């Protein structure tokens, strides 16, 4: 299940010790809609191993500003509370899987 991250709950997830993947998106963003189903599939495949969720940049501005999100979709990959990788723009599922596998 894809988590719904907000400015209020993301810190807890990042600091949980588990790997975390955050998709920064917006409803009006075409490429965001393209990777949405991929993010959902990955959340199912990595359930229990990686926290995978989405953050709407129109509803949450503090976290995107903190991490310098300037283009969407941007997917950040966290390990041990730190950003260790990122993917800007739409990409294939295999690219995301490779980056997630590197977190494990």
């Amino acid at each position: 299940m894809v988590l719904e991250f907000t400015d209020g709950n993301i810190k807890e997830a990042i600091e949980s010790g588990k790997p975390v993947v955050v998709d920064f998106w917006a409803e009006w963003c075409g490429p965001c809609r393209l990777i949405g189903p991929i993010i959902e599939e990955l959340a199912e495949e990595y359930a229990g191993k990686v926290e995978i969720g989405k953050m709407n940049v129109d509803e949450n501005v503090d976290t995107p500003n903190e991490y310098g999100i300037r283009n969407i979709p941007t997917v950040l990959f966290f390990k041990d509370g730190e950003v260790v990788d990122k993917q800007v723009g739409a990409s294939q599922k295999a690219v995301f899987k490779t980056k997630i596998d590197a977190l494990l």
Side-chain angles (χ1 to χ4, degrees), residues 39-66:
I39 298 298
E40 290 175 19
E41 289 173 20
L42 293 169
E44 294 297 323
E45 290 176 29
Y46 289 92
K49 298 178 194 166
V50 181
E51 300 289 325
I52 299 178
K54 302 168 68 106
M55 177 176 279
N56 186 318
V57 298
D58 289 335
E59 297 171 2
N60 302 278
V61 296
D62 294 339
T63 305
N65 283 338
E66 180 180 339

Side-chain angles (χ1 to χ4, degrees), residues 1-94:
M1 180 179 86
V2 175
L3 301 171
E4 192 65 40
F5 290 125
T6 66
D7 286 336
N9 71 7
I10 193 161
K11 288 280 187 225
E12 181 181 340
I14 292 170
E15 295 169 358
S16 71
K18 272 190 171 179
V20 178
V21 177
V22 183
D23 172 21
F24 293 88
W25 71 288
E27 299 235 358
W28 47 264
C29 167
C32 297
R33 289 194 302 271
L34 285 175
I35 70 164
I38 294 171
I39 298 298
E40 290 175 19
E41 289 173 20
L42 293 169
E44 294 297 323
E45 290 176 29
Y46 289 92
K49 298 178 194 166
V50 181
E51 300 289 325
I52 299 178
K54 302 168 68 106
M55 177 176 279
N56 186 318
V57 298
D58 289 335
E59 297 171 2
N60 302 278
V61 296
D62 294 339
T63 305
N65 283 338
E66 180 180 339
Y67 289 103
I69 304 301
R70 300 285 176 255
N71 300 299
I72 55 172
T74 293
V75 180
L76 296 184
F77 300 82
F78 293 87
K79 185 172 185 173
D80 299 323
E82 300 292 325
V83 176
V84 294
D85 204 349
K86 92 172 158 178
Q87 175 66 42
V88 179
S91 194
Q92 297 177 346
K93 183 177 179 180

